[in-house]
Amino acid sequence: ETGVTQSPTHLIKTRGQQVTLRCSSQSGHNTVSWYQQALGQGPQFIFQYYREEENGRGNFPPRFSGLQFPNYSSELNVNALELDDSALYLCASRKAGEETQYFGPGTRLLVL
Amino acid sequence: EDQVTQSPEALRLQEGESSSLNCSYTVSGLRGLFWYRQDPGKGPEFLFTLYSAGEEKEKERLKATLTKKESFLHITAPKPEDSATYLCAVQSHTSNSGYALNFGKGTSLLVTP
């Protein structure tokens, strides 16, 4: 049990819709990262937030956006959903200055 | 660009049959190498962080080692509950993505009684 929670656990959307996924970081962790994991693949880095600002981004288009709140909870927003967005979305938190990231259980998104 | 390759893709062991998983990496300035365990439909569970060549870490039946080009996860006398996908990831000093983890595809381990 890492203390990182995510909601919802599962979600079904249709192509073109928008989705918001939520994450609550482990206590004392002020940095959060989001990853996308397609079936049979390793997680792919989407972006990272520190002090409510994005400070690192992977190869994902601008329709993937995020927010981090003062209580270190965060959101991942995806606009104009595509079929290929179907995946497990993982949130990971860490303490500033430490390298190890602790993952939540993920949100399984299915786009039809 | 950082690259991580894990082998084998899948491994089936009998209970008690020891083996090793391999993680080969290419990175400009290693900040850390990480091993995670992932059960189906769950988030990755942290196992080890290794920082420099020659470093070793152990936890129960697992031992992780690191060289300048690869890392091994040794599993001694595995049990069925060790069945999972084992993920390797690297973090580099020179990445423009902060503390982003670059993962391999994982090794799917099945331990049969």
Side-chain angles (χ1 to χ4, degrees):
Chain A
E1 197 68 37
T2 63
V4 180
T5 60
Q6 292 186 243
S7 63
T9 55
H10 296 84
L11 202 52
I12 300 175
K13 291 285 188 177
T14 56
R15 195 171 47 184
Q17 285 188 313
Q18 177 266 343
V19 69
T20 298
L21 310 182
R22 295 179 174 82
C23 171
S24 178
S25 298
Q26 186 170 340
S27 177
H29 288 194
N30 54 10
T31 301
V32 65
S33 299
W34 285 89
Y35 293 80
Q36 179 195 67
Q37 187 176 23
L39 210 57
Q41 303 294 315
Q44 297 289 313
F45 174 71
I46 303 175
F47 46 55
Q48 173 181 277
Y49 276 79
Y50 173 63
R51 291 186 173 178
E52 302 171 50
E53 292 206 1
E54 182 183 304
N55 71 343
R57 190 174 186 95
N59 293 325
F60 281 81
R63 61 188 184 85
F64 286 78
S65 63
L67 286 171
Q68 185 185 31
F69 301 101
N71 65 355
Y72 304 135
S73 65
S74 68
E75 289 181 354
L76 164 65
N77 299 290
V78 187
N79 293 322
L81 284 167
E82 301 177 359
L83 298 180
D84 285 348
D85 295 333
S86 296
L88 181 67
Y89 287 85
L90 297 161
C91 162
S93 73
R94 66 176 180 85
K95 281 185 183 177
E98 295 184 3
E99 286 79 20
T100 301
Q101 298 182 30
Y102 297 90
F103 285 83
T107 293
R108 173 71 63 186
L109 173 65
L110 177 62
V111 182
L112 301 176
Chain B
E1 185 177 318
D2 300 349
Q3 284 198 327
V4 180
T5 303
Q6 292 188 245
S7 62
E9 288 186 8
L11 182 62
R12 183 179 181 129
L13 299 173
Q14 291 270 16
E15 185 171 2
E17 180 187 1
S18 300
S19 187
S20 296
L21 313 182
N22 177 263
C23 172
S24 298
Y25 65 91
T26 304
V27 64
S28 301
L30 181 69
R31 188 198 298 267
L33 184 140
F34 302 81
W35 283 97
Y36 287 86
R37 168 197 168 123
Q38 187 173 29
D39 293 306
K42 305 279 182 70
E45 174 190 345
F46 171 70
L47 294 174
F48 304 109
T49 306
L50 301 167
Y51 295 103
S52 57
E55 190 174 0
E56 299 182 352
K57 289 193 176 172
E58 286 188 66
K59 179 182 178 181
E60 297 180 356
R61 296 177 292 281
L62 300 177
K63 178 180 175 180
T65 62
L66 181 65
T67 73
K68 288 187 178 179
K69 292 184 178 181
E70 57 191 352
S71 177
F72 292 93
L73 185 65
H74 308 277
I75 304 177
T76 302
K79 298 182 177 182
E81 52 262 42
D82 294 322
S83 298
T85 295
Y86 290 85
L87 295 166
C88 171
V90 297
Q91 198 177 66
S92 73
H93 283 290
T94 57
S95 168
N96 293 325
S97 303
Y99 283 71
L101 292 173
N102 187 354
F103 281 88
K105 293 184 177 182
T107 293
S108 177
L109 174 65
L110 176 64
V111 182
T112 58

